[in-house]
Amino acid sequence: MPPLFRYLERDFLSQQQSSNIVLLRPSMSFMLIQTPNPLTLKDALPNFSKTTHIFLPINDCRNANQAEGGSHWSLLLVSIVDGVAFHYDSLNPSNKDEAITTTKKLGILLGKQLQFLDLPDSPQQENSSDCGVFVCVQMKHLLLKKLMRANKQQKVSMSMGGKHIDAGQGRKTMLEIIEGFRKEGERRRS
């Protein structure tokens, strides 16, 4: 997921100066869910004082000592301005408990009550291996097709109902992004 984060931040969020959207890395989301008192993370996490939305990948790993643990990913999109956390799970309701816990801890960190909404109309994967692709495709869609196209006064439907996700095409897109970064790195080194 990190190459997609870098791509979205560099190619889209950095171009929108008024954008106050944070893409929290998977490791930071995991740290948030594993830490008993989220207030102790205030210095490790971004400053959310001007943030409108936070994207958090959610993993079902419960063992803080196991790097690369867990078997499923889902996406939590928190609208701070609306006080709502939207949960997109491609194997619904697999990560619901983890998403609820993350929502509560983020609410404590923000000093704001957040309403949790599990979205049962999220596109569902057809196998047990596409969850990461679904998170990436949903994040890109919600960011580029919903949030970045809306004006500040406009309410935006955050539903993914009716949206079909082609996991194969999602993988190809991610490979293209990674290949673009690889080529950029080669150009910089030469």
Side-chain angles (χ1 to χ4, degrees), residues 38-150:
L39 294 175
T40 62
L41 299 175
K42 212 162 185 94
D43 292 334
L45 294 170
N47 179 349
F48 296 122
S49 64
K50 295 181 181 173
T51 302
T52 59
H53 295 83
I54 307 170
F55 285 84
L56 302 98
I58 304 296
N59 186 270
D60 63 355
C61 181
R62 297 198 175 157
N63 182 353
N65 297 318
Q66 182 183 10
E68 309 292 325
S71 61
H72 182 59
W73 290 95
S74 61
L75 179 64
L76 190 66
L77 169 56
V78 178
S79 171
I80 296 174
V81 293
D82 297 317
V84 179
F86 300 96
H87 184 229
Y88 305 88
D89 192 341
S90 60
L91 281 176
N92 203 17
S94 295
N95 279 2
K96 186 174 182 178
D97 291 342
E98 290 82 0
I100 289 171
T101 300
T102 303
T103 299
K104 288 177 183 175
K105 290 188 176 192
L106 190 58
I108 292 168
L109 191 65
L110 297 170
K112 181 176 187 164
Q113 181 79 26
L114 297 172
Q115 176 189 1
F116 177 81
L117 285 179
D118 190 48
L119 300 174
D121 64 350
S122 296
Q124 298 294 292
Q125 64 191 69
E126 297 173 2
N127 58 33
S128 61
S129 60
D130 285 338
C131 56
V133 175
F134 271 64
V135 167
C136 292
V137 171
Q138 288 174 330
M139 184 183 317
K140 183 179 176 191
H141 177 80
L142 290 165
L143 179 64
L144 302 181
K145 305 283 187 209
K146 301 247 183 185
L147 293 178
M148 303 234 7
R149 288 189 176 176

Side-chain angles (χ1 to χ4, degrees), residues 12-13 18-19 92 117 170:
F12 298 100
L13 289 177
S18 63
S19 172
N92 203 17
L117 285 179

